[in-house]
Amino acid sequence: METKFLHWVATFIPIIFLLDVALSVIADPYRVYHESWLENDYFMIDTRKSSVGIIRNAEFDSIILAASMGQNLSPPEASSALNGLFVNLSMLGSKLVEKSVVLGYTLKNKKIKTAIISLDGIGAYGEVQRSTPLDSSLFLYNDNKVDDIQLYLGFNSIGFLFCGNKLFKQQCPGTSLL
């Protein structure tokens, strides 16, 4: 009896894991592997994770890269005022080291005409805060797309199969219009 149960677990747990990963990549709410298949062009509000998908798939020639205050800057207003096609990649509470990683990845993958960057990672007396630990999503900004699958582990993306598309019209949770 115990061996049958262990055999069943050993067979079906990997199948369920692979199904989770496959469905997450199909939905791909962070656009890590492909452009959005959603009817409305949404992006995930957590820009630490969604910036890589925007960089890979969106059309732009200028960026806004700041901390939380910069998230309120409007890409359409910046585009009209500075004659460019802006996206806002600002990250809540980001330090200079995180911004430098995103900026480096952007410059490596796109030709940038204009960049608006905040320097709000400066600490007391003008010293750069070097002791800030890097965010756990920085694996997205390397050249290895295989390790990006870590973003979709844990059954947290399957719900995106059922929102924002032509069949299911409701807006996806945790998203905003691009």
Side-chain angles (χ1 to χ4, degrees), residues 91-158:
M91 299 171 285
L92 181 66
S94 63
K95 301 294 183 212
L96 286 174
V97 67
E98 289 177 299
K99 290 179 218 166
S100 71
V101 169
V102 174
L103 180 62
Y105 189 80
T106 304
L107 292 173
K108 185 176 180 180
N109 290 285
K110 297 281 186 175
K111 185 174 172 137
I112 299 299
K113 186 169 72 170
T114 307
I116 300 173
I117 302 172
S118 71
L119 301 176
D120 47 3
I122 307 297
Y125 308 106
E127 294 181 14
V128 177
Q129 297 174 351
R130 291 182 184 87
S131 62
T132 305
L134 294 176
D135 188 76
S136 62
S137 63
L138 291 179
F139 65 90
L140 293 167
Y141 299 95
N142 61 22
D143 290 329
N144 184 1
K145 289 188 179 183
V146 175
D147 69 351
D148 295 347
I149 201 72
Q150 297 174 50
L151 185 60
Y152 293 128
L153 299 179
F155 296 100
N156 56 356
S157 300
I158 291 177

Side-chain angles (χ1 to χ4, degrees), residues 58-79:
E59 292 296 323
F60 63 92
D61 64 7
S62 302
I63 63 169
I64 301 168
L65 187 56
S68 54
M69 288 194 303
Q71 288 181 321
N72 296 321
L73 296 174
S74 168
E77 287 181 18
S79 295

Side-chain angles (χ1 to χ4, degrees), residues 43-88:
F43 74 97
M44 300 299 291
I45 292 174
D46 183 1
T47 51
R48 276 188 174 79
K49 295 175 182 171
S50 65
S51 288
V52 70
I54 294 169
I55 294 166
R56 289 179 185 169
N57 297 304
E59 292 296 323
F60 63 92
D61 64 7
S62 302
I63 63 169
I64 301 168
L65 187 56
S68 54
M69 288 194 303
Q71 288 181 321
N72 296 321
L73 296 174
S74 168
E77 287 181 18
S79 295
S80 67
L82 299 173
N83 196 23
L85 184 57
F86 277 82
V87 294
N88 193 337

